[in-house]
């Protein structure tokens, strides 16, 4: 302790590390080793096997995301907000699931669009679909829950964007949300600038030194980001499968009908899980008896209600628009779960 006091930099570094998913993963494994040493090996083997089975998806996702960032592909998304309102809603819902934006980048991007006069309906379509799916999330979901579920989530993302966009368009015709923006807009949450809307993508990014550096930086940072969150996700899944009785999960969100799906959506909103943590954990819940429809509702509601997503909405728009965002999100999550269950 005296050494840490004499070297505050080390203490700060240790304090920062203790707040990371790595520290939580080690703490959970240490707890399992202490409280149930007989099952510790089984818990670790389950975690490593699950992580290994997803490794190819992680690698492909990291390469794809680094490529999209290095080429400047996000600039293409801005084109979705040009033209007729109906066309804008359709393209915004579609591109919302493809845009490789971090939660911080969405804020200045949306702020710029609203300031330039983009209709709230198209912005809402993008805002609802964007947190739900992106290329890495699609691949991680496929690795943990299978391609049918991953494709279903991608379809749900676009459908939710369309649902929200056209609902806002209808309400705007009735005179609602005539002035959606707050008087003073907040800045980005972490200092990273939003994508430049006038940048042209360069698909052959390796021809430019700056873009090659960008690719390398994104590959390393996103690789470490995905690895730390997925390691935590699979530790949690392993503990869930080993220690939570299946009948408890089945009793809450198992079985047929609307009630388990609505319950999962309502629980999923406040119990937000990182988009990369949710699929493995839901795989464990489904093994314990959670229905597919409830899992879909939980995932959709949780993504819409993520802290960065809600902070972005709240920082830019008036409370009525914020309430509409949450209402459309939870109702869309329930509808997604019901439809996925029927299919």
């Amino acid at each position: 302790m005296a050494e840490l006091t004499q070297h505050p930099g080390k203490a700060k570094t240790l304090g920062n590390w203790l707040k990371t998913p790595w520290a939580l993963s080690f703490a959970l494994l240490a707890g399992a080793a202490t409280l149930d040493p007989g099952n510790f090996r089984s818990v670790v083997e389950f975690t490593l096997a699950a992580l290994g089975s997803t490794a190819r998806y992680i690698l492909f996702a990291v390469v794809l995301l680094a490529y999209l960032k290095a080429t400047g592909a996000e600039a293409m998304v801005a084109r979705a907000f040009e033209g007729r309102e109906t066309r804008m809603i359709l393209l915004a819902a579609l591109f919302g699931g493809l845009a490789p934006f971090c939660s911080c980048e969405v804020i200045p991007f949306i702020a710029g669009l609203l300031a330039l006069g983009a209709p709230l309906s198209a912005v809402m379509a993008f805002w609802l679909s964007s947190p739900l799916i992106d290329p890495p999330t699609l691949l991680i979901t496929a690795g943990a829950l299978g391609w049918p579920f991953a494709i279903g989530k991608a379809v749900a993302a676009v459908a939710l964007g369309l649902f929200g966009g056209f609902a806002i368009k209808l309400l705007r015709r009735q005179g609602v949300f005539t002035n959606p923006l707050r008087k003073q807009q907040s800045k980005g949450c972490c200092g990273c600038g939003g994508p430049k809307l006038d940048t042209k993508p360069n698909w052959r990014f390796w021809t430019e030194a700056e873009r090659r550096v960008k690719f390398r930086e994104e590959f390393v940072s996103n690789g470490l980001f995905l690895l730390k969150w997925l390691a935590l996700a699979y530790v949690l899944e392993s503990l869930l499968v080993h220690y939570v009785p299946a009948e408890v999960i089945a009793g809450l969100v198992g079985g047929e009908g609307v009630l388990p799906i609505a319950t999962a959506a309502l629980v999923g909103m406040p119990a937000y899980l990182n988009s990369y943590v949710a699929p493995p954990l839901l795989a464990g819940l489904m093994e314990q008896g959670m229905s597919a429809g409830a899992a879909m509702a939980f995932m959709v509601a949780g993504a819409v209600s993520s802290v960065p997503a809600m902070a972005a909405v709240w920082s830019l728009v008036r409370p009525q628009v914020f309430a509409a965002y949450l209402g459309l999100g939870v109702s869309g999550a329930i509808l997604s779960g019901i439809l996925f269950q029927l299919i």
Side-chain angles (χ1 to χ4, degrees), residues 62 66 69 210-224:
V62 170
K69 286 288 189 178
E210 184 179 350
R211 291 181 185 268
R212 290 198 300 270
V213 172
K214 180 70 172 178
F215 178 88
R216 185 169 59 252
E217 292 175 346
E218 291 291 336
F219 181 86
V220 173
S221 63
N222 286 307
L224 291 174

Side-chain angles (χ1 to χ4, degrees), residues 207-261:
T207 60
E208 298 180 25
E210 184 179 350
R211 291 181 185 268
R212 290 198 300 270
V213 172
K214 180 70 172 178
F215 178 88
R216 185 169 59 252
E217 292 175 346
E218 291 291 336
F219 181 86
V220 173
S221 63
N222 286 307
L224 291 174
F225 178 84
L226 284 176
L227 185 60
K228 70 181 180 183
W229 281 110
L230 286 172
L232 174 59
Y234 286 121
V235 169
L236 291 171
E237 180 187 2
S238 181
L239 295 175
L240 177 70
V241 170
H242 280 83
Y243 297 113
V244 178
E247 56 269 18
V248 174
I249 303 300
L252 290 174
V253 287
E256 305 294 330
V258 177
L259 184 59
I261 294 173

Side-chain angles (χ1 to χ4, degrees), residues 196-208:
K196 298 178 181 179
L197 306 188
D198 57 350
T199 302
K200 293 183 179 180
N202 180 5
W203 304 112
R204 296 163 60 91
F205 74 89
W206 53 87
T207 60
E208 298 180 25

Side-chain angles (χ1 to χ4, degrees), residues 138 141-143 145-156 292 296 340 343:
L138 179 68
T141 303
L145 297 168
W147 278 106
F149 197 99
I151 294 171
K153 185 185 178 185
V155 172
M296 181 63 72
F340 189 72
I343 295 173

